[in-house]
């Protein structure tokens, strides 16, 4: 029988994001982001979610208590067994990375001031730090599952993987499930994965992803030479140029470069030239103006069509 909330071990404290930081825009983005739909509880100024660490689930509740220019978040971690100091630090570092709390948007905004088309975009999205996938392993698996497969079907497959090999923890309001770590999913046989994924090629790709993340240091992926990290990702079976770029930006926060794919091309044309479409070469020239912040430009462009003023309901 799972522990009740009153029986859980808790740790609380505060986090201080790099300003400007608008947590409500983070929540609105997560509410509108299909790949992680239903994987967290969202309410005004509050996020509750779970992550796996060393094979067990940790739920975390984040609440905004500051302002956009002086941001402050309170957190509570919930576990069935007490966390060591080291484990607490690992979880808090994971939260900071997931919510991009340390991203400094000011250099990006300064570049945007030289681009008249970006003024309205920045005004609407001011303070939005990129919410990543919770772990790069999760986004790598997702990039396999979603290949040539409708989003809804990919989500069902992902959820089935979480229920079979992930971890979970029960709080008063709900049970929170966390995507498995590479070591956890490695315990699945190919036959078991095939029963869920229903595609032998994707099972082989998932095996390659699992093997890669069991052997590769995440710190290297986050901070190593960009071209080398991209090259290593593209060596994984099933991860091509598009998937590697997706993982680099949305899973690792690597903003140094961005590819000009269809979604970005449509977004740029909507903002810059709705009557006379720009070419891929035109958009590549715009990207070059943003130097090592191309990833944030691409993220803001893709999000520019969303209404992030609609906050999650209680």
């Amino acid at each position: 029988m799972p522990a009740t909330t009153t029986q859980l071990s808790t740790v609380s404290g505060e986090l201080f994001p790099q300003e400007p930081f608008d947590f409500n825009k983070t929540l609105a983005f997560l509410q509108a982001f299909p790949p992680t739909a239903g994987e967290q509880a969202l309410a005004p100024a509050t996020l509750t979610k779970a992550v796996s660490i060393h094979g067990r689930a940790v739920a975390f509740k984040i609440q905004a208590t500051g302002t956009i220019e002086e941001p402050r978040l309170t957190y509570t971690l919930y576990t069935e067994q007490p966390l060591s100091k080291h484990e607490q630090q690992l979880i808090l570092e994971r939260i900071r990375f997931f919510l991009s709390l340390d991203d400094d948007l000011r250099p990006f905004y300064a570049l945007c001031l030289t681009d008249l088309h970006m003024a309205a975009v920045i005004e609407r999205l001011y303070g939005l730090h990129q919410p990543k996938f919770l772990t790069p392993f999760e986004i790598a698996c997702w990039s396999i599952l979603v290949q040539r497969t409708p989003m809804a079907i990919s989500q069902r497959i992902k959820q089935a993987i979480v229920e079979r090999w992930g971890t979970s923890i029960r709080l008063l309001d709900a049970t929170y499930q966390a995507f498995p770590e590479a070591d956890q999913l490695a315990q699945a046989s190919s036959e078991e994965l095939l029963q869920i994924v229903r595609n032998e090629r994707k099972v082989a790709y998932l095996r390659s992803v699992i093997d890669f993340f069991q052997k590769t240091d995440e710190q290297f992926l986050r901070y190593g030479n960009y071209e080398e990290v991209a090259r290593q990702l593209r060596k994984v079976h099933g991860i091509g140029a598009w998937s590697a770029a997706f993982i680099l930006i949305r899973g690792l926060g690597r903003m140094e470069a961005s590819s000009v794919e269809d979604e970005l091309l449509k977004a740029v044309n909507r903002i810059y030239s709705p009557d006379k479409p720009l070419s891929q070469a035109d958009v590549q020239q715009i990207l070059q103006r943003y130097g090592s912040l191309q990833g944030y430009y691409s993220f803001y462009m893709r999000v520019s069509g969303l209404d992030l003023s609609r906050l999650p309901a209680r």
Side-chain angles (χ1 to χ4, degrees):
M1 178 180 296
T4 65
T5 304
T6 56
Q7 296 171 321
L8 296 176
S9 174
T10 62
V11 177
S12 298
E14 289 185 317
L15 298 170
F16 297 91
Q18 172 68 58
E19 76 281 355
F21 178 78
D22 189 339
F23 192 46
N24 281 329
K25 287 191 176 70
T26 297
L27 299 175
F29 174 85
L30 290 172
Q31 182 174 241
F33 188 56
T36 59
E39 296 181 3
Q40 55 263 315
L42 305 172
T46 305
L47 163 68
T48 309
K49 192 173 175 67
V51 62
S52 287
I53 178 172
H54 301 157
R56 59 186 177 130
V58 178
F60 56 88
K61 184 175 184 178
I62 309 294
Q63 294 179 291
T65 57
T67 65
I68 294 174
E69 299 300 339
E70 295 184 356
R72 177 181 298 181
L73 304 173
T74 61
Y75 69 83
T76 303
L77 311 181
Y78 301 88
T79 53
E80 293 187 356
Q81 298 297 328
L83 294 166
S84 68
K85 292 293 185 182
H86 178 62
E87 288 172 328
Q88 291 177 35
Q89 288 304 117
L90 289 177
I91 295 297
L92 293 180
E93 196 278 335
R94 176 67 63 193
I95 293 170
R96 295 195 71 89
F97 194 67
F98 162 51
L99 297 175
S100 298
L101 300 188
D102 297 313
D103 286 5
D104 187 352
L105 299 177
R106 292 170 296 184
F108 171 59
Y109 289 168
L111 286 172
C112 290
L113 291 177
T114 68
D115 185 342
L116 295 178
H117 294 94
M118 287 296 290
V121 174
I122 297 305
E123 184 177 359
R124 276 190 288 112
L125 301 182
Y126 184 78
L128 173 64
H129 291 220
Q130 177 191 220
K132 305 178 185 73
F133 278 70
L134 193 50
T135 70
F137 176 63
E138 179 181 346
I139 190 177
C141 290
W142 173 254
S143 73
I144 299 299
L145 298 178
V146 80
Q147 291 176 14
R148 299 183 181 181
T149 304
M151 184 78 70
I153 295 175
S154 301
Q155 285 178 300
R156 288 198 294 270
I157 295 171
K158 181 185 176 189
Q159 182 59 33
I161 289 173
V162 170
E163 291 176 355
R164 175 65 177 83
W165 291 286
T167 56
S168 65
I169 185 168
R170 175 71 186 177
L171 304 188
L172 283 177
D173 59 340
T175 296
Y176 292 90
Q177 298 176 311
F179 195 82
E181 299 165 274
D183 287 345
Q184 291 175 289
L185 199 53
Q187 298 172 17
S189 68
S190 295
E191 292 74 17
E192 290 173 320
L193 283 171
L194 185 59
Q195 290 176 3
I196 291 175
V197 179
R198 302 290 184 181
N199 184 301
E200 291 185 353
R201 175 176 53 83
K202 288 189 178 183
V203 168
Y205 291 166
L206 285 174
R207 282 283 176 214
S208 184
V209 167
I210 292 167
D211 182 65
F212 176 78
F213 278 90
Q214 283 188 296
K215 296 178 179 178
T216 305
D217 180 10
E218 186 176 328
Q219 297 302 304
F220 161 71
L221 298 177
R222 292 190 194 183
Y223 307 113
N225 176 269
Y226 181 90
E227 294 301 331
E228 179 60 20
V229 172
R231 188 180 72 84
Q232 292 294 332
L233 285 171
R234 290 194 297 267
K235 286 172 61 177
V236 179
H237 294 304
I239 296 181
W242 180 88
S243 295
F246 182 48
I247 294 166
L248 283 161
I249 292 177
R250 298 287 295 116
L252 292 165
R254 301 300 300 259
M255 299 305 191
E256 296 98 311
S258 176
S259 59
V260 183
E261 37 69 41
D262 288 345
E263 186 178 352
L264 177 60
L265 188 61
K266 290 176 183 177
V268 172
N269 274 306
R270 186 180 67 250
I271 299 296
Y272 285 72
S273 187
D275 299 323
K276 186 180 179 181
L278 301 174
S279 68
Q280 285 195 340
D282 294 330
V283 176
Q284 188 63 50
Q285 284 188 336
I286 296 173
L287 276 173
Q288 294 304 316
R289 301 176 200 164
Y290 286 83
S292 62
L293 294 169
Q294 292 180 33
Y296 250 108
Y297 174 83
S298 297
F299 174 66
Y300 265 54
M301 276 290 100
R302 293 186 182 93
V303 177
S304 63
L306 299 179
D307 180 6
L308 297 191
S309 66
R310 299 178 61 183
L311 299 180
R314 289 193 179 277

